[in-house]
Amino acid sequence: CKKFAKDVRGLDKTMRNWHAYLGLETTVKNMLTSLRAVGELQNSAIRDRHWDQLVQATKVRFTMSDETTFADLLSLNLHNFEDEVHNIVDKACKEMAMEKMLKDLNHSWKSLEFNYEDHSTGYKLLRASEEVIETLEENQVQIQNMMTSKYIAYFYTEISGWQKKLGMVDTVLGRWMEVQRTWSYLESIFIGSEDIRIQLPVDSKRFEGI
C-alpha cells in the first residue's frame, strides 16, 4: 500500500486537481491509516473488553473471533478513529502491566513464609526476614502507584483489596514485633533476674502468666 501511495504521488502534477486523483489519494491515505490501526490492534495486550470499547467508538456492530477477516476490520473505517484506536491500545498496554504486577503479587505472597526462632523459655518468636520486609514495602509502593493511575478502573476492586491486605500485614507485623521486643525485655527482668523476682514477687508472678 505504501508503494501504491508513492506511485500516486508520482503521477503528473497536472492531475492533482482532478476529482479522480483526489478521490484516489484520499482512499490510499485512509487505507494507510486503517492499516496502521489494524497493526496496533494486533498488540498482545488487547483483550475482549478492548474490542468492545472499539465497537463503542466506531458505532459499528462487530464481534472479534477466530473467523474475523481483514475485511471485517477494514469495514470499521478505522481511519476515522485513529486517535481512539491509539488510546485504546495504550490503555490496554497499561492495563496489561497492572495485570502482570497483580499476578506477581499473588505469586510472591503465596511463596513467602514467616520464620520462627526458639527462645530460651521454650516459646517460639516470630522472625520476619529481610525478604518479607522488603517485599512488603516494595509491594505497598507498587499498589499505591497503581491506585493513583488513571487506568485503574478495571482492576480497582482487586488493587484496593491488596492495599487493605498489605496494610493489615504491615500493621499486624509491626505490632507483633513490638510486643515481642517488649516481652523479651521484660522477660529478662522478671524471669531472668532473681533479685527482681524477690523484690517484685507479685509482678513477677503476673508476668509468668503472660
Side-chain angles (χ1 to χ4, degrees):
C1 192
K2 287 183 179 180
K3 183 181 183 303
F4 193 59
K6 184 178 179 180
D7 290 342
V8 171
R9 289 194 300 270
L11 293 174
D12 194 287
K13 293 182 179 180
T14 59
M15 303 170 60
R16 295 187 179 183
N17 290 324
W18 296 2
H19 291 299
Y21 177 89
L22 295 174
L24 178 60
E25 183 183 44
T26 298
T27 299
V28 172
K29 284 182 178 179
N30 290 344
M31 177 62 75
L32 285 172
T33 302
S34 293
L35 290 175
R36 281 198 301 270
V38 170
E40 284 196 82
L41 291 169
Q42 290 180 318
N43 196 298
S44 60
I46 297 292
R47 303 287 186 266
D48 288 343
R49 64 181 181 275
H50 301 120
W51 288 110
D52 292 339
Q53 291 166 17
L54 183 63
V55 168
Q56 292 176 12
T58 59
K59 301 294 189 299
V60 176
R61 298 192 66 178
F62 168 80
T63 301
M64 186 63 182
S65 68
D66 293 337
E67 298 179 358
T68 301
T69 65
F70 183 60
D72 293 330
L73 293 176
L74 291 181
S75 70
L76 296 175
N77 294 318
L78 296 178
H79 59 275
N80 293 324
F81 306 98
E82 186 174 17
D83 290 340
E84 287 84 347
V85 169
H86 180 76
N87 291 335
I88 289 172
V89 174
D90 184 57
K91 178 182 179 182
C93 291
K94 297 296 192 304
E95 289 180 348
M96 185 171 72
M98 287 188 179
E99 186 178 334
K100 180 181 183 305
M101 201 171 292
L102 290 170
K103 286 181 179 178
D104 290 343
L105 277 175
N106 276 302
H107 177 74
S108 294
W109 286 96
K110 280 182 179 179
S111 60
L112 282 176
E113 294 182 354
F114 289 105
N115 298 318
Y116 296 88
E117 57 185 16
D118 294 323
H119 191 265
S120 58
T121 57
Y123 294 115
K124 291 184 178 295
L125 301 183
L126 180 69
R127 183 171 64 84
S129 66
E130 288 188 12
E131 180 189 7
V132 171
I133 300 300
E134 289 177 359
T135 300
L136 177 59
E137 291 177 349
E138 180 182 335
N139 290 165
Q140 283 183 303
V141 171
Q142 291 173 331
I143 288 296
Q144 185 57 41
N145 289 337
M146 285 193 281
M147 285 295 290
T148 60
S149 172
K150 66 179 182 179
Y151 302 102
I152 190 179
Y154 185 78
F155 299 103
Y156 179 78
T157 300
E158 187 175 359
I159 292 173
S160 60
W162 269 108
Q163 186 180 46
K164 292 176 182 177
K165 285 186 282 189
L166 294 179
M168 181 64 71
V169 171
D170 191 18
T171 299
V172 171
L173 186 59
R175 291 181 180 176
W176 191 319
M177 300 306 291
E178 182 181 354
V179 169
Q180 278 192 173
R181 284 193 296 269
T182 302
W183 180 86
S184 297
Y185 171 73
L186 294 176
E187 190 275 338
S188 66
I189 295 175
F190 290 109
I191 305 299
S193 175
E194 191 63 32
D195 290 338
I196 296 296
R197 291 177 63 80
I198 294 174
Q199 295 173 27
L200 302 171
V202 176
D203 290 332
S204 297
K205 191 67 176 177
R206 187 171 60 179
F207 184 80
E208 288 179 2
I210 297 178

